[in-house]
């Protein structure tokens, strides 16, 4: 099977723009490569009364995320990533993608009551409970295996404990703007010093589960604090993602911390330590980081300039490059056989790959930057030809290039804006190339100021309610949430039962009504006069159909995004039976079911496997989003036909009174286009839209196109 040649045309935007017209779609070339063009339309920018801190983004190339293509060299490093307070393994999704595509092993863990760990905050009253997943993992490693142990923020405590317990299994410990105790620096002291300021700031909150006269028991970050202190320099989507999946942290006593974190020079001190300073961190300030370094000197100190507290979000490429360099320094590198040939996009040159070149070189791979001896002639077909003596921006003041479709690309140089018309030209002969170009992972998110205090939003006119699909959660909407929020609208994305970070476990919701419960409770809580745009994806179509039946007066329009769409003429059980027969999803690849009621009874829960997610759910999405899904996907209860029939009773008077729109995902391999069209034929909606080039996860693979459609539907 041939590896696709990735040819990426991109523009890096780092600006704030006034947003008055909706963002148009990103299109992808139907040939082997991917061309992503970010479209913005501008009108009276200088007169705008509000700033939108969004110039999204999503300039990722097409990535084949399957494990069979490409075939990576045997990994020579194993990175173990440990998250910070209130976060989870999900927070490392960009770094995980970079490490995986570089051919390394990577393990990101959820500590106790974090991410999708089943424990709840009050169930882990001791620090040892919080550390338990990491300690169990380290204990399970073969005696001869050494890992690069990386801890972020409060995760520094966890990796310090692991250094004390398993020094022989750690080649180097990396503290990424993390709490770094040691034999000469008491853990309790730095915990108190680092946390006292955060507890009472903005919308952070604590709970007093043992009564108001006793110390607080849990701590949670508020959205405003996350935006202003943790994610101020990170892409706004990452802040939106965090608001859907952060969880409370148990507040451990000083006695418990002192008892649990006892570090010795003999064990902890035998492990090489590197501290990475985040220069613009507002949580653990640079001064506080330097104080820890002074009191407990590591073997090496690195710094990432322009990074907020979430270095893996705001500066993923820099952090990845540093991690590779650190691993290379403390462990002898084994050369691999990969050879990358980097071909630049329109108007650019080899120089445009300088960040990727750095990452690839530090990964031990080879690069060809030029190979004139293998090219007889280079033809610029009505194209731009920059060079050492001709600056690209001098060359193009207003350029019209014959490509596929016309779009408007807004570019900025400081405060000067240029508007151009760009089109994309297909590369029909590109497959003739004899070079195999491996995956080039690009993390080109612009700088975005995600704080809410400095922005004056227009009066909100719409409220979007987003409902996720099977095994997913509110987190799956993080890109759409960012777009909606920054355009001044309200948005609510919720976790259905036993999904995302909902506290229920899958066997605790044996009825479909339990699964729907969070949405029904939310709809019931809305004011009688408020109407929402209700959007359901995949299995979430059943949930919004139920809401249409119960609360038709509160729904302006219901949007089915490649979703299950039952109706008066299409029974829900018939729909699900037809889907199973057409896709055989349950038995494909590494998908799995559990038989919690015994092997002779029907299966109770279903779970997507990583390979299936890569090949059939996220095959057109950025690899980072597939990685994110592998850290946050949860099992789905398999409801009986009887239960579904009982729950999904729809009437023309109520369900039928709500306007319906169906959005077809053209390249969906989970709900095939033929199946989507079959539902539309059997249960015609009021309107049908289609997003070309989209996989099942439309919000991941074509977020701008979907966002643009949702706005148009809402306004219509």
């Amino acid at each position: 099977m041939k590896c696709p040649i990735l040819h990426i045309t991109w523009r890096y935007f780092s600006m704030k723009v006034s947003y008055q017209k909706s963002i148009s779609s990103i299109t992808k070339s139907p040939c082997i490569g991917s061309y992503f063009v970010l479209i913005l339309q501008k009108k009276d920018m200088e007169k705008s009364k509000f700033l939108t801190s969004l110039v999204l983004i999503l300039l990722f190339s097409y990535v084949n995320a399957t494990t069979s293509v490409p075939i990576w060299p045997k990994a020579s490093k194993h990175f173990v990533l440990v998250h910070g307070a209130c976060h989870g393994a999900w927070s490392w999704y960009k770094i995980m993608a970079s490490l995986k595509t570089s051919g390394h092993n990577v393990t990101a863990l959820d500590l106790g009551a974090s991410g999708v760990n089943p424990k709840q905050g009050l169930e882990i009253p001791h620090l040892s409970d919080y550390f338990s997943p990491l300690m169990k993992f380290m204990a399970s490693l073969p005696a001869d295996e050494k890992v690069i142990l990386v801890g972020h923020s409060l995760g520094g405590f966890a990796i310090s404990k692991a250094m004390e317990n398993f020094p022989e299994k750690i080649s180097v410990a990396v503290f990424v703007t993390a709490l770094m105790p040691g034999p000469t620096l008491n853990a309790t002291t730095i915990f108190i010093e680092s946390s006292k300021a955060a507890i009472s700031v903005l919308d952070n909150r604590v709970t007093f589960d043992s009564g108001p006269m006793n110390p607080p028991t849990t701590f949670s970050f508020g959205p405003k604090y996350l935006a202003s202190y943790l994610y101020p320099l990170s892409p706004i989507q990452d802040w939106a993602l965090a608001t859907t999946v952060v969880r409370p942290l148990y507040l451990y006593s000083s006695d418990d911390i002192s008892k649990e974190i006892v570090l010795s020079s003999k064990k902890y001190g035998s492990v090489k330590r590197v501290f990475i300073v985040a220069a613009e961190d507002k949580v653990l300030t640079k001064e506080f980081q330097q104080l820890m370094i002074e009191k407990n000197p590591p073997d090496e100190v690195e710094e990432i300039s322009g990074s907020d507290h979430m270095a893996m979000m705001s500066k993923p490429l820099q952090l990845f490059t540093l991690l590779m360099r650190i691993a290379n320094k403390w462990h002898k590198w084994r050369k691999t056989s990969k050879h990358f040939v980097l071909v630049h996009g329109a108007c650019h040159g080899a120089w445009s790959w300088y960040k990727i070149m750095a990452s690839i070189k530090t990964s031990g791979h080879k690069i060809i930057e030029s190979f004139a001896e293998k090219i007889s002639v280079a033809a610029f077909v009505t194209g731009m030809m920059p060079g050492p003596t001709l600056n690209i921006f001098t060359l193009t003041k207003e350029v019209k290039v014959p490509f596929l479709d016309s779009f408007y690309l807004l570019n900025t140089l400081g405060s000067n804006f240029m508007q151009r018309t760009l089109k994309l030209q297909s590369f029909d002969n590109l497959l003739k190339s004899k070079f195999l170009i491996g995956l080039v992972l690009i993390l080109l998110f612009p700088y975005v100021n995600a704080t809410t205090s400095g922005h004056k939003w227009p009066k909100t006119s719409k409220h979007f309610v987003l409902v996720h699909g099977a095994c997913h959660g509110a987190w799956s909407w993080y890109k759409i949430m960012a777009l909606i929020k920054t355009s001044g609208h309200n948005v609510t994305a919720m976790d259905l039962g036993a999904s995302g970070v909902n506290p229920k476990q899958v066997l605790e919701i044996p009825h479909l009504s339990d699964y729907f419960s969070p949405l029904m409770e939310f709809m019931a809580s809305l004011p009688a006069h408020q109407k929402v745009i209700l959007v359901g994806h995949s299995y979430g179509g059943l949930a919004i159909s139920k809401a249409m039946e119960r609360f038709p007066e509160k729904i302006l329009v219901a949007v089915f995004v490649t979703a299950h769409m039952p109706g008066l003429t299409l029974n829900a059980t018939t729909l699900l039976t037809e889907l199973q027969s057409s896709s055989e999803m349950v038995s494909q690849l590494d998908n799995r079911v559990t038989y919690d009621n015994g092997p002779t009874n029907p299966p109770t829960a279903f779970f997507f496997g990583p390979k299936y997610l890569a090949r059939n759910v996220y095959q057109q999405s950025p690899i980072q989003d597939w990685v994110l899904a592998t850290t946050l996907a949860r099992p789905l209860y398999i409801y009986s036909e009887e239960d579904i029939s009982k729950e999904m009773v729809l009437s023309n008077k109520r369900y039928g009174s709500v306007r319906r729109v169906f959005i077809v995902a053209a390249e969906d391999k989970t709900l095939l286009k033929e199946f989507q069209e079959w539902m539309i034929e059997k249960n015609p909606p009021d309107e049908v839209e289609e997003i070309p080039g989209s996989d099942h996860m439309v919000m991941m693979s074509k977020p701008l196109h979907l966002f643009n459609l949702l706005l148009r539907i809402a306004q219509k």
Side-chain angles (χ1 to χ4, degrees), residues 248-260:
L249 173 75
Y250 194 90
L251 293 174
Y252 299 102
S253 67
S254 297
D255 288 344
D256 189 58
I257 294 172
S258 296
K259 178 184 176 181
E260 183 65 20

Side-chain angles (χ1 to χ4, degrees), residues 108 144 236 306 390 403 427 473 580 590 659 662 716:
D144 60 341
I236 194 170
L390 182 58
F403 287 168
F427 284 73
Q580 176 60 24
D590 53 345
R659 182 174 178 82
F662 193 97
K716 182 176 181 180

Side-chain angles (χ1 to χ4, degrees), residues 463 465 492 521-532 554:
H463 187 173
V465 177
T492 301
E521 290 175 2
F522 173 80
M523 294 298 295
S525 72
L526 289 173
H529 64 280
Q530 185 173 349
K531 284 180 175 282
V532 300
K554 294 184 178 183

Side-chain angles (χ1 to χ4, degrees), residues 163-447:
M163 291 162 68
E164 181 67 24
N165 287 4
F166 308 97
E168 72 286 352
K169 294 184 177 182
I170 304 168
S171 60
V172 60
V174 185
F175 292 76
V176 181
T177 185
L179 299 182
M180 186 175 63
T184 59
L185 184 58
N186 185 273
T188 306
T189 303
I190 61 174
F191 180 74
I192 293 173
E193 187 65 28
S194 64
S195 62
K196 65 183 180 182
I199 288 180
S200 59
V201 177
L202 292 176
D203 53 346
N204 289 346
R205 55 197 181 276
V206 294
T207 61
F208 292 84
D209 301 278
S210 299
M213 302 305 293
N214 291 307
T217 46
T218 68
F219 166 81
S220 299
F221 288 124
K224 290 182 180 178
Y225 185 86
L226 285 169
S228 299
Y229 286 84
L230 273 77
Y231 290 81
L233 302 181
S234 297
I236 194 170
Q237 308 97 302
D238 292 323
W239 165 75
L241 172 63
T243 64
T244 69
V245 283
V246 291
R247 294 178 62 182
L249 173 75
Y250 194 90
L251 293 174
Y252 299 102
S253 67
S254 297
D255 288 344
D256 189 58
I257 294 172
S258 296
K259 178 184 176 181
E260 183 65 20
I261 303 181
V262 179
L263 307 175
S264 66
S265 297
K266 182 179 179 181
K267 304 191 76 166
Y268 168 93
S270 68
V271 180
K272 296 295 183 182
R273 277 182 296 125
V274 178
F275 192 98
I276 297 179
V277 175
E280 304 299 326
D281 193 335
K282 296 172 75 174
V283 179
L284 300 184
T285 63
K286 187 174 181 179
E287 292 74 20
F288 182 76
Q289 296 175 68
Q290 289 172 337
L291 177 64
M292 287 192 293
I293 291 167
E294 179 186 342
K295 297 289 186 182
N296 182 28
D299 298 278
E300 183 181 341
V301 176
E302 299 284 353
E303 181 170 326
I304 299 179
S305 59
S307 171
D308 56 23
H309 186 63
M310 301 304 295
M312 64 284 284
M313 301 292 196
S314 59
K315 294 291 181 179
L317 271 180
Q318 289 88 328
L319 178 56
F320 165 68
T321 303
L322 270 181
L323 291 177
M324 295 308 306
R325 196 165 77 208
I326 290 165
N328 197 18
K329 179 176 180 178
W330 298 108
H331 188 82
K332 189 175 181 180
W333 186 263
R334 182 181 64 83
K335 290 185 177 180
T336 69
S337 58
K338 283 295 173 185
H339 199 161
F340 289 80
V341 179
L342 308 180
V343 182
H344 61 78
C347 311
H348 288 62
W351 56 267
S352 62
W353 292 101
Y354 77 100
K355 292 185 180 179
I356 302 302
M357 287 164 61
S359 297
I360 292 173
K361 285 181 178 179
T362 56
S363 300
H365 299 289
K366 295 179 180 179
I367 295 176
I368 286 184
E369 299 169 36
S370 61
F371 39 95
E373 72 282 359
K374 296 185 180 181
I375 302 174
S376 58
V377 63
F380 292 80
V381 182
T382 187
M384 293 174 285
M385 187 171 64
T389 58
L390 182 58
N391 185 284
I392 184 173
F393 299 114
T394 303
L395 178 63
T396 58
K397 291 297 182 183
E398 176 134 356
V399 179
K400 293 185 178 181
V401 183
F403 287 168
L404 258 182
D405 298 309
S406 295
F407 293 100
Y408 291 102
L409 178 63
L410 182 64
N411 189 23
T412 178
L413 295 173
S415 60
N416 298 318
F417 294 94
M418 300 187 298
Q419 190 167 344
R420 312 170 183 180
T421 303
L422 290 184
K423 301 179 183 179
L424 296 178
Q425 181 181 25
S426 64
F427 284 73
D428 296 328
N429 296 322
L430 210 54
L431 276 174
K432 295 179 181 178
S433 171
K434 295 182 180 179
F435 294 102
L436 181 65
I437 302 183
L439 175 64
V440 180
L441 180 64
I442 299 187
L443 304 167
L444 297 177
F445 286 110
Y447 167 94

Side-chain angles (χ1 to χ4, degrees), residues 67 84 118 125 128 160 246 256 304 359 453 478 482 501 533 557 628-629 683:
T67 57
S128 58
S160 295
V246 291
D256 189 58
I304 299 179
S359 297
S453 59
Y478 78 101
V501 294
I533 295 96
V557 60
L628 181 64
N683 182 29

